[in-house]
Amino acid sequence: GAVVSQHPSWVICKSGTSVKIECRSLDFQATTMFWYRQFPKQSLMLMATSNEGSKATYEQGVEKDKFLINHASLTLSTLTVTSAHPEDSSFYICSARPLSIGDFRPSYEQYFGPGTRLTVT
Amino acid sequence: AQSVTQPDIHITVSEGASLELRCNYSYGATPYLFWYVQSPGQGLQLLLKYFSGDTLVQGIKGFEAEFKRSQSSFNLRKPSVHWSDAAEYFCAVGAETSYDKVIFGPGTSLSVIP
């Protein structure tokens, strides 16, 4: 259980084009999904937090007009990199927090997707 | 501000040897601590977590970690390493201001020699 998928697993696009990455929770509903960026040999950096049906919350320094996030349902969130440039090349990882009704204890529970390798040429 | 440090960028151990990966954190209150493993082509997997109670936490795949408040540490251990343990290991702390956010350390890359 608690499987998160990402599509595509890798993508190559030309500079100036846009690319969309999908994140799906396959066997659970997710109130919250997170998008991370990971550079080679480095840690995960949180880009934004998205809640179903509302606007995403972006971390400081992340351009919201460049990284468009849509969380249209409890099982799907998408990240669109607009007008991509070579410096946007990176490994993008999503995670999903299961829906928890009535439980307000901190858990930080989240399940991670396998990641999407984006290369902008 | 909260932070997590992992002093060892890369560690190499022989198969069957014991392993300890170091993690230090900076946190104002009682921390929520995690260890994740990242293998190529797979998503991050939670090995174990500490919220409260017993300071020695048992996890999956034979891993354990010990919370030491006096040293602000949460080191990961395994008595006998298998070749399949080669991966990237991340220590993380739950953000004080949000029950959602997790702050990751820089990671330790583990290589296992047959």
Coordinates of all heavy atoms in Angstrom, one line a residue, chain B residues 25-78:
Chain B
Y25 N 21.0 17.4 14.7 CA 20.0 18.3 14.3 C 20.0 19.6 15.2 O 20.6 19.6 16.3 CB 18.6 17.6 14.5 CG 18.3 17.2 15.9 CD1 17.7 18.1 16.8 CD2 18.8 16.0 16.5 CE1 17.5 17.8 18.1 CE2 18.6 15.7 17.8 CZ 17.9 16.6 18.6 OH 17.8 16.3 19.9
S26 N 19.3 20.6 14.7 CA 19.1 21.8 15.5 C 17.6 22.0 15.5 O 17.0 22.1 14.5 CB 19.8 23.0 14.8 OG 19.4 24.2 15.4
Y27 N 17.1 22.1 16.8 CA 15.6 22.1 16.9 C 15.3 22.7 18.3 O 16.0 22.5 19.3 CB 15.1 20.7 16.8 CG 13.6 20.6 16.6 CD1 13.1 20.6 15.3 CD2 12.7 20.5 17.7 CE1 11.7 20.5 15.1 CE2 11.3 20.4 17.4 CZ 10.9 20.4 16.1 OH 9.5 20.3 15.9
G28 N 14.2 23.5 18.4 CA 13.9 24.2 19.6 C 13.3 23.4 20.7 O 13.5 23.6 21.8
A29 N 12.5 22.4 20.2 CA 11.7 21.6 21.2 C 12.1 20.1 21.0 O 13.1 19.8 20.5 CB 10.3 21.9 21.0
T30 N 11.2 19.3 21.4 CA 11.4 17.9 21.1 C 11.2 17.6 19.7 O 10.1 17.8 19.1 CB 10.4 17.0 21.9 OG1 10.6 17.3 23.3 CG2 10.6 15.5 21.7
P31 N 12.2 17.1 19.0 CA 12.1 16.9 17.6 C 11.4 15.7 17.1 O 11.3 14.7 17.9 CB 13.6 16.9 17.2 CG 14.2 16.2 18.3 CD 13.5 16.7 19.5
Y32 N 10.9 15.8 15.9 CA 10.4 14.6 15.2 C 11.4 14.2 14.2 O 11.7 15.0 13.3 CB 9.0 14.9 14.5 CG 7.9 15.2 15.5 CD1 7.7 16.5 16.0 CD2 7.0 14.2 15.9 CE1 6.7 16.8 16.9 CE2 6.0 14.5 16.8 CZ 5.9 15.8 17.3 OH 4.8 16.1 18.1
L33 N 12.0 13.1 14.3 CA 13.2 12.7 13.5 C 12.9 11.5 12.7 O 12.2 10.6 13.1 CB 14.4 12.4 14.5 CG 14.9 13.6 15.3 CD1 15.7 13.2 16.4 CD2 15.6 14.6 14.4
F34 N 13.6 11.5 11.5 CA 13.3 10.4 10.5 C 14.7 10.0 9.9 O 15.6 10.8 9.8 CB 12.4 10.9 9.4 CG 11.1 11.5 9.9 CD1 11.1 12.9 10.3 CD2 10.0 10.8 10.0 CE1 9.9 13.5 10.7 CE2 8.8 11.4 10.4 CZ 8.8 12.7 10.8
W35 N 14.7 8.8 9.4 CA 15.7 8.3 8.5 C 15.0 7.8 7.2 O 14.1 6.9 7.4 CB 16.6 7.3 9.1 CG 17.8 7.8 9.9 CD1 17.9 7.9 11.2 CD2 19.0 8.3 9.3 NE1 19.1 8.5 11.6 CE2 19.8 8.7 10.4 CE3 19.5 8.4 8.0 CZ2 21.1 9.2 10.3 CZ3 20.8 8.9 7.9 CH2 21.6 9.3 9.0
Y36 N 15.5 8.3 6.1 CA 15.0 7.8 4.8 C 16.1 7.2 4.0 O 17.3 7.6 4.1 CB 14.4 8.9 4.0 CG 13.0 9.4 4.4 CD1 12.9 10.4 5.4 CD2 11.8 8.9 3.9 CE1 11.7 10.9 5.8 CE2 10.6 9.3 4.3 CZ 10.5 10.4 5.2 OH 9.3 10.8 5.6
V37 N 15.8 6.2 3.1 CA 16.8 5.7 2.2 C 16.3 5.9 0.8 O 15.1 5.8 0.5 CB 17.0 4.2 2.5 CG1 15.7 3.3 2.3 CG2 18.1 3.6 1.6
Q38 N 17.2 6.3 -0.1 CA 16.9 6.5 -1.5 C 17.7 5.6 -2.4 O 19.0 5.7 -2.4 CB 17.1 8.0 -1.9 CG 16.7 8.3 -3.3 CD 17.0 9.8 -3.6 OE1 18.0 10.4 -3.2 NE2 16.1 10.4 -4.5
S39 N 17.1 4.7 -3.0 CA 17.8 3.8 -4.0 C 17.5 4.2 -5.4 O 16.4 4.8 -5.6 CB 17.3 2.4 -3.8 OG 17.6 1.9 -2.4
P40 N 18.4 4.0 -6.3 CA 18.2 4.5 -7.7 C 16.9 3.9 -8.3 O 16.6 2.7 -8.1 CB 19.4 3.9 -8.4 CG 20.5 3.8 -7.4 CD 19.7 3.4 -6.1
G41 N 16.1 4.8 -8.9 CA 14.9 4.3 -9.5 C 13.7 4.1 -8.6 O 12.6 3.7 -9.0
Q42 N 14.0 4.3 -7.3 CA 12.9 4.1 -6.3 C 12.7 5.4 -5.5 O 13.6 6.2 -5.3 CB 13.3 3.0 -5.4 CG 13.4 1.6 -6.1 CD 13.7 0.5 -5.1 OE1 13.4 0.6 -3.9 NE2 14.4 -0.5 -5.5
G43 N 11.5 5.5 -5.0 CA 11.2 6.7 -4.2 C 11.9 6.6 -2.8 O 12.3 5.5 -2.4
L44 N 11.9 7.7 -2.1 CA 12.5 7.6 -0.7 C 11.6 6.7 0.1 O 10.4 6.8 0.1 CB 12.5 9.0 -0.1 CG 13.7 9.8 -0.3 CD1 13.8 10.4 -1.7 CD2 13.8 10.9 0.7
Q45 N 12.2 5.9 0.9 CA 11.5 5.0 1.8 C 11.9 5.3 3.2 O 13.0 5.5 3.6 CB 11.9 3.5 1.4 CG 11.1 2.5 2.3 CD 11.5 1.1 1.9 OE1 12.6 0.8 1.4 NE2 10.6 0.1 2.1
L46 N 10.8 5.3 4.1 CA 11.1 5.6 5.5 C 11.6 4.4 6.2 O 11.0 3.3 6.1 CB 9.7 6.0 6.1 CG 9.8 6.3 7.6 CD1 10.6 7.6 7.9 CD2 8.4 6.5 8.2
L47 N 12.8 4.5 6.8 CA 13.4 3.5 7.5 C 12.9 3.4 9.0 O 12.6 2.3 9.5 CB 14.9 3.6 7.6 CG 15.7 3.4 6.3 CD1 17.1 3.7 6.5 CD2 15.5 1.9 5.8
L48 N 12.8 4.5 9.6 CA 12.3 4.6 11.0 C 12.0 6.1 11.3 O 12.4 7.0 10.6 CB 13.3 4.0 11.9 CG 14.8 4.4 11.8 CD1 15.1 5.7 12.4 CD2 15.7 3.3 12.5
K49 N 11.4 6.3 12.5 CA 11.1 7.6 12.9 C 11.0 7.6 14.5 O 10.8 6.6 15.1 CB 9.7 8.1 12.4 CG 8.5 7.2 12.8 CD 7.3 7.7 12.2 CE 6.1 6.8 12.6 NZ 4.8 7.2 11.8
Y50 N 11.3 8.8 15.0 CA 11.3 9.0 16.4 C 10.3 10.2 16.7 O 10.6 11.3 16.2 CB 12.6 9.3 17.0 CG 12.6 9.7 18.5 CD1 12.4 8.8 19.5 CD2 12.7 11.0 18.8 CE1 12.3 9.2 20.8 CE2 12.6 11.4 20.1 CZ 12.4 10.5 21.1 OH 12.3 10.9 22.4
F51 N 9.3 10.0 17.6 CA 8.5 11.0 18.0 C 8.6 11.3 19.5 O 8.6 12.4 19.9 CB 7.0 10.7 17.6 CG 6.7 11.0 16.2 CD1 7.6 11.3 15.3 CD2 5.4 10.8 15.8 CE1 7.3 11.5 13.9 CE2 5.0 11.0 14.4 CZ 6.0 11.4 13.5
S52 N 8.6 10.2 20.2 CA 8.7 10.3 21.7 C 8.9 8.9 22.2 O 8.9 7.9 21.5 CB 7.5 10.9 22.3 OG 6.4 10.1 22.1
G53 N 9.1 8.8 23.5 CA 9.2 7.5 24.2 C 10.6 6.9 24.1 O 11.6 7.7 24.3
D54 N 10.7 5.7 23.9 CA 12.0 5.0 23.9 C 13.0 5.6 22.9 O 12.6 5.8 21.7 CB 11.8 3.5 23.6 CG 13.0 2.6 23.9 OD1 14.1 3.2 24.1 OD2 12.8 1.4 23.9
T55 N 14.1 5.9 23.4 CA 15.1 6.6 22.5 C 15.8 5.7 21.5 O 16.4 6.2 20.6 CB 16.1 7.3 23.4 OG1 16.8 6.3 24.2 CG2 15.5 8.4 24.3
L56 N 15.6 4.4 21.7 CA 16.2 3.5 20.7 C 15.0 3.0 19.8 O 14.1 2.4 20.3 CB 16.8 2.3 21.4 CG 17.6 1.3 20.5 CD1 18.7 2.0 19.7 CD2 18.1 0.1 21.3
V57 N 15.1 3.3 18.6 CA 14.0 3.1 17.7 C 14.4 2.0 16.7 O 15.4 2.0 16.1 CB 13.6 4.4 16.9 CG1 12.5 4.1 15.9 CG2 13.3 5.5 17.8
Q58 N 13.5 1.0 16.5 CA 13.7 0.0 15.6 C 13.0 0.3 14.2 O 11.9 0.8 14.2 CB 13.2 -1.4 16.1 CG 13.8 -1.8 17.4 CD 15.3 -2.0 17.3 OE1 15.8 -2.6 16.3 NE2 16.1 -1.5 18.3
G59 N 13.7 0.0 13.1 CA 13.1 0.2 11.9 C 13.0 -1.0 11.0 O 13.2 -2.1 11.4
I60 N 12.8 -0.7 9.7 CA 12.7 -1.8 8.7 C 14.1 -2.2 8.3 O 15.1 -1.4 8.5 CB 11.9 -1.5 7.5 CG1 12.5 -0.3 6.8 CG2 10.4 -1.2 8.0 CD1 11.8 0.0 5.5
K61 N 14.3 -3.3 7.7 CA 15.5 -3.8 7.1 C 16.6 -4.0 8.1 O 17.8 -3.9 7.7 CB 16.0 -2.9 5.9 CG 14.9 -2.7 4.8 CD 15.5 -1.9 3.7 CE 14.5 -1.8 2.6 NZ 15.0 -1.1 1.4
G62 N 16.3 -4.1 9.4 CA 17.3 -4.4 10.4 C 18.0 -3.1 10.9 O 19.0 -3.2 11.6
F63 N 17.5 -1.9 10.5 CA 18.1 -0.7 11.0 C 17.5 -0.3 12.4 O 16.4 -0.6 12.7 CB 17.9 0.4 10.0 CG 18.7 0.3 8.8 CD1 18.2 -0.3 7.6 CD2 20.0 0.9 8.7 CE1 19.0 -0.4 6.5 CE2 20.8 0.8 7.6 CZ 20.3 0.1 6.5
E64 N 18.3 0.5 13.1 CA 17.9 1.1 14.3 C 18.5 2.4 14.5 O 19.6 2.7 13.8 CB 18.2 0.2 15.6 CG 19.7 0.1 15.8 CD 19.9 -0.7 17.1 OE1 19.1 -1.6 17.5 OE2 21.0 -0.5 17.7
A65 N 18.0 3.3 15.3 CA 18.6 4.6 15.5 C 18.3 5.0 17.0 O 17.4 4.6 17.6 CB 17.9 5.7 14.6
E66 N 19.3 5.8 17.5 CA 19.2 6.2 18.9 C 19.1 7.7 19.0 O 20.0 8.4 18.4 CB 20.4 5.6 19.7 CG 20.3 5.9 21.2 CD 21.3 5.2 22.0 OE1 22.3 4.7 21.4 OE2 21.1 5.2 23.2
F67 N 18.1 8.2 19.7 CA 18.0 9.6 19.9 C 18.7 10.0 21.2 O 18.5 9.4 22.2 CB 16.5 9.9 20.1 CG 16.2 11.3 20.5 CD1 16.6 12.4 19.8 CD2 15.5 11.6 21.7 CE1 16.4 13.7 20.2 CE2 15.3 12.8 22.2 CZ 15.7 13.9 21.4
K68 N 19.7 10.9 21.0 CA 20.4 11.4 22.2 C 20.2 12.9 22.2 O 20.9 13.7 21.5 CB 21.9 11.0 22.1 CG 22.2 9.5 22.2 CD 23.6 9.2 22.2 CE 23.9 7.8 22.3 NZ 25.4 7.4 22.4
R69 N 19.4 13.3 23.2 CA 19.1 14.8 23.3 C 20.3 15.6 23.7 O 20.5 16.6 23.1 CB 18.0 15.0 24.3 CG 17.5 16.4 24.4 CD 16.6 16.6 25.6 NE 15.4 15.8 25.5 CZ 14.3 16.2 24.8 NH1 14.3 17.3 24.2 NH2 13.3 15.4 24.7
S70 N 21.1 15.0 24.6 CA 22.3 15.8 25.0 C 23.3 16.0 23.9 O 24.1 17.0 24.0 CB 23.0 15.0 26.2 OG 23.4 13.7 25.7
Q71 N 23.3 15.2 22.9 CA 24.2 15.4 21.8 C 23.5 15.9 20.6 O 24.2 16.0 19.5 CB 24.9 14.0 21.5 CG 25.7 13.5 22.7 CD 26.4 12.1 22.4 OE1 26.5 11.7 21.3 NE2 26.7 11.4 23.4
S72 N 22.2 16.1 20.6 CA 21.4 16.5 19.5 C 21.7 15.6 18.3 O 22.0 16.0 17.2 CB 21.8 18.0 19.1 OG 21.4 18.8 20.1
S73 N 21.7 14.3 18.6 CA 22.0 13.3 17.5 C 21.0 12.3 17.4 O 20.2 12.0 18.3 CB 23.4 12.6 17.8 OG 23.3 11.8 18.9
F74 N 21.0 11.7 16.2 CA 20.0 10.6 15.9 C 20.7 9.7 14.9 O 20.4 9.7 13.7 CB 18.7 11.2 15.3 CG 17.6 10.2 15.1 CD1 17.1 9.5 16.2 CD2 17.0 10.1 13.9 CE1 16.1 8.6 16.0 CE2 15.9 9.2 13.7 CZ 15.5 8.4 14.7
N75 N 21.7 8.9 15.4 CA 22.5 8.1 14.5 C 21.8 6.8 14.1 O 21.2 6.2 14.9 CB 23.9 7.8 15.2 CG 24.7 9.1 15.4 OD1 24.4 10.2 14.8 ND2 25.7 9.0 16.2
L76 N 22.1 6.4 12.9 CA 21.5 5.2 12.3 C 22.5 4.1 12.4 O 23.6 4.3 12.0 CB 21.0 5.5 10.9 CG 20.4 4.3 10.1 CD1 19.0 4.1 10.7 CD2 20.3 4.6 8.6
R77 N 22.0 2.9 12.8 CA 23.0 1.8 12.9 C 22.4 0.5 12.3 O 21.2 0.4 12.2 CB 23.3 1.5 14.4 CG 23.9 2.7 15.1 CD 24.5 2.3 16.4 NE 23.5 1.8 17.4 CZ 23.1 2.5 18.5 NH1 23.7 3.6 18.7 NH2 22.2 2.0 19.3
K78 N 23.3 -0.3 11.9 CA 22.9 -1.7 11.4 C 24.1 -2.6 11.8 O 25.2 -2.3 11.5 CB 22.6 -1.7 9.9 CG 22.1 -3.1 9.5 CD 21.5 -3.0 8.0 CE 20.9 -4.3 7.7 NZ 20.3 -4.3 6.3

